[in-house]
Amino acid sequence: MTVVFTSLRPMLCTRNLQGTIDFYTKQLGFELVGFSSADGFASLRRDAIELMVALPNVHLPFEAPAFTGSLYFNVSDVASLWASVKDGAQVVYPLEDFYYGMREFAIYDNNGYMLKFAQPLGAHDGSSDCERRQSG
C-alpha cells in the first residue's frame, strides 16, 4: 500500500491570536474560515493555502516562536504582492531574482515567522529569461 500525502497545513503557535489573525487577513488577504476563542484556535485560507494558528498548548513549553525555517508560498504575481505588503511588513529581503530561477521576497509575520513569496522567473511578466539576462 502506498501512502499519498494530500496536503500540508502548518500550525503556527502564537501568544497573540487576534494580532496574528489580523496580520494574515489584513496584510496578506487571507480569510478567517474557523475560529474558537475557547480553544485559542483559528484557521485561515487564501486560495489553495491553509494555515492554522493557535495559542500555546498546555502540553508543550512555549516562550516565543522558534521556527528556524521559513514558509515558502508560490504565488501567481509576486511583484503585485510585494507592492501591496512591502510598506506594512518587516522585510527580510526585498523582491529579487535568484540564480535558481525564482523571483521572491521575504517578510516576517507579527510573531517573527519568516514568510517567503515566489514565482518562477519569466512567469506573467511579459519577458523571457533570455531577454532578462540580455538586458541585465
Side-chain angles (χ1 to χ4, degrees):
M1 178 168 113
T2 302
V3 174
V4 177
F5 287 43
T6 60
S7 67
L8 173 67
R9 189 174 339 158
M11 169 73 82
L12 303 177
C13 287
T14 180
R15 290 206 177 276
N16 183 352
L17 187 60
Q18 189 58 55
T20 302
I21 292 168
D22 289 346
F23 177 86
Y24 282 89
T25 58
K26 294 176 182 174
Q27 288 286 327
L28 297 176
F30 277 73
E31 174 187 2
L32 180 64
V33 294
F35 178 77
S36 171
S37 60
D39 296 322
F41 168 85
S43 182
L44 302 148
R45 180 184 314 131
R46 177 162 178 182
D47 304 316
I49 304 297
E50 294 183 37
L51 294 172
M52 297 181 291
V53 294
L55 294 173
N57 183 311
V58 68
H59 302 290
L60 297 171
F62 181 85
E63 295 199 23
F67 183 61
T68 59
S70 63
L71 299 177
Y72 197 86
F73 297 82
N74 292 298
V75 300
S76 63
D77 188 349
V78 72
S80 291
L81 183 60
W82 167 248
S84 72
V85 303
K86 67 180 180 169
D87 294 330
Q90 183 182 353
V91 175
V92 177
Y93 58 84
L95 188 63
E96 185 176 340
D97 292 350
F98 287 90
Y99 70 92
Y100 46 82
M102 297 299 281
R103 173 172 291 153
E104 63 186 61
F105 70 91
I107 61 174
Y108 288 114
D109 78 358
N110 65 306
N111 298 291
Y113 293 112
M114 188 186 306
L115 312 176
K116 295 181 179 183
F117 300 90
Q119 80 179 88
L121 285 171
H124 308 295
D125 69 357
S127 67
S128 70
D129 290 339
C130 235
E131 291 171 308
R132 191 174 297 101
R133 273 185 243 135
Q134 290 173 351
S135 67

